[in-house]
Amino acid sequence: MVMKQAQLLDGKALAQRLQSELKEQIQKQTSIGRPPGLAVLMVGDNPASAAYVRNKERACTNVGIASFGQHFSVEVTQSELEQTIHRLNQDDRVDGILVQLPLPEHLDAVALLHQIDPDKDADGLHPTNLGRLVRGEQGLRSCTPAGVMRLLQEYQIPLKGKQAVVVGRSILVGKPLALMLLEADATVTIAHSRSQDLGTITQSADILVGAVGRPGLITADMVKSGAVVVDVGINRVTDASGSSRLVGDVDFDAVQNVAEYITPVPGGIGPMTVAMLLQNTFTSYLQRH
């Protein structure tokens, strides 16, 4: 018997198309007299963060968004960063502000996030925007979960009445994604590292999302046959020969023989996150004009 492999949910291809559409929309907005602007603030020289920031800035250039990013040394103080955010809040050229995480130990990321004008909160993580999500009101949405929802929509995956299990409860992904799935009429369970008998919980899922940052946590025996599996995890692992590669939270090679749809890592949710960041910046730009 030939095993039928899952269809890939190709986030990379969709993100490229969304960026092309966004570029056209931005080119039509000549009456405003300036392009949308995004400021990404980065502290220190974490190689993964530096790569993410480069990707974001390249994507901005591709679609016609001006970059006002700033790179600070690891010694920067909390008050210097807060002053920078206040300046950007007042700057009419800037529509989106984002603090690249993680930050060095001496800085308080939550306090910095609270300083960002909610209408310029490109990451959709300000308490005001999370509150709007809870209430089902309009607002900037957290980029990674919004990217997951957009990808599911693209492949016309039905959510209404389906069992969705989100493994991970972070404020970045797990909690907002659970709310978005609930808004789409799915029945949602949030599981996490303390959940007892995780495999039994995940086996009930029509839509299963891994978002904990633990390589290969979700194995084939934890997945219901025909499920839709979304892998948000990005983990760098090094094999015996010393070469490193990116893997997700899902054991891709085994799970693709059980699932009906699956996202790859890389090339799944990562590019969608960047596409939603650009979309948030453009949305904020339109709302402000």
Side-chain angles (χ1 to χ4, degrees), residues 8-289:
L8 281 189
L9 298 172
D10 190 341
K12 191 175 175 185
L14 175 56
Q16 283 169 345
R17 204 190 81 215
L18 292 174
Q19 288 191 29
S20 301
E21 289 170 6
L22 194 55
K23 185 177 182 174
E24 283 177 26
Q25 290 173 296
I26 290 170
Q27 284 168 346
K28 287 178 186 157
Q29 295 299 327
T30 49
S31 62
I32 295 174
R34 68 165 182 88
L38 175 66
V40 179
L41 307 182
M42 184 181 150
V43 179
D45 41 20
N46 175 319
S49 291
Y52 290 143
V53 171
R54 273 197 306 275
N55 278 346
K56 287 167 184 171
E57 290 178 344
R58 199 177 301 133
C60 281
T61 307
N62 288 346
V63 300
I65 290 176
S67 271
F68 296 94
Q70 286 176 262
H71 189 169
F72 299 89
S73 82
V74 80
E75 284 85 36
V76 70
T77 65
Q78 185 83 10
S79 74
E80 284 174 278
L81 286 172
E82 289 186 0
Q83 284 164 10
T84 302
I85 290 170
H86 291 163
R87 231 183 6 259
L88 293 167
N89 283 340
Q90 304 302 321
D91 190 334
D92 283 339
R93 301 167 303 165
V94 175
D95 304 286
I97 304 168
L98 176 152
V99 178
Q100 183 66 43
L101 302 175
L103 291 173
E105 289 289 302
H106 69 284
L107 296 169
D108 181 344
V110 175
L112 287 176
L113 189 65
H114 286 192
Q115 302 298 320
I116 296 173
D117 175 349
D119 294 331
K120 291 190 176 189
D121 167 34
D123 243 349
L125 295 174
H126 190 283
T128 300
N129 285 320
L130 288 169
R132 287 168 179 160
L133 172 61
V134 170
R135 294 173 60 92
E137 295 171 2
Q138 287 292 312
L140 296 171
R141 297 290 190 247
S142 185
C143 299
T144 300
V148 171
M149 297 302 288
R150 183 65 185 82
L151 190 58
L152 294 174
Q153 180 196 340
E154 183 65 19
Y155 284 85
Q156 298 178 349
I157 288 165
L159 299 175
K160 193 172 284 196
K162 298 291 184 184
Q163 293 285 343
V165 174
V166 179
V167 185
R169 55 179 164 180
S170 74
I171 203 73
L172 276 170
V173 183
K175 286 176 184 169
L177 180 56
L179 288 164
M180 290 177 196
L181 286 162
L182 204 53
E183 203 169 36
D185 296 328
T187 301
V188 183
T189 302
I190 303 180
H192 45 82
S193 56
R194 302 278 189 281
S195 298
Q196 291 183 350
D197 204 0
L198 183 61
T200 304
I201 299 170
T202 57
Q203 278 166 356
S204 71
D206 302 308
I207 290 101
L208 176 59
V209 182
V212 276
R214 284 183 40 201
L217 172 71
I218 293 167
T219 52
D221 60 343
M222 296 167 71
V223 179
K224 177 161 90 172
S225 176
V228 177
V229 179
V230 176
D231 193 348
V232 181
I234 297 181
N235 313 288
R236 191 169 285 283
V237 296
T238 308
D239 60 23
S241 68
S243 60
S244 76
R245 60 194 172 94
L246 289 179
V247 299
D249 290 352
V250 175
D251 177 358
F252 182 88
D253 293 342
V255 171
Q256 69 173 341
N257 296 318
V258 183
E260 186 176 351
Y261 292 94
I262 192 168
T263 61
V265 175
I269 301 305
M272 290 302 299
T273 299
V274 176
M276 294 298 112
L277 172 67
L278 302 177
Q279 184 63 57
N280 274 351
T281 303
F282 184 59
T283 300
S284 166
Y285 167 80
L286 292 179
Q287 280 172 345
R288 295 175 64 240
H289 292 281

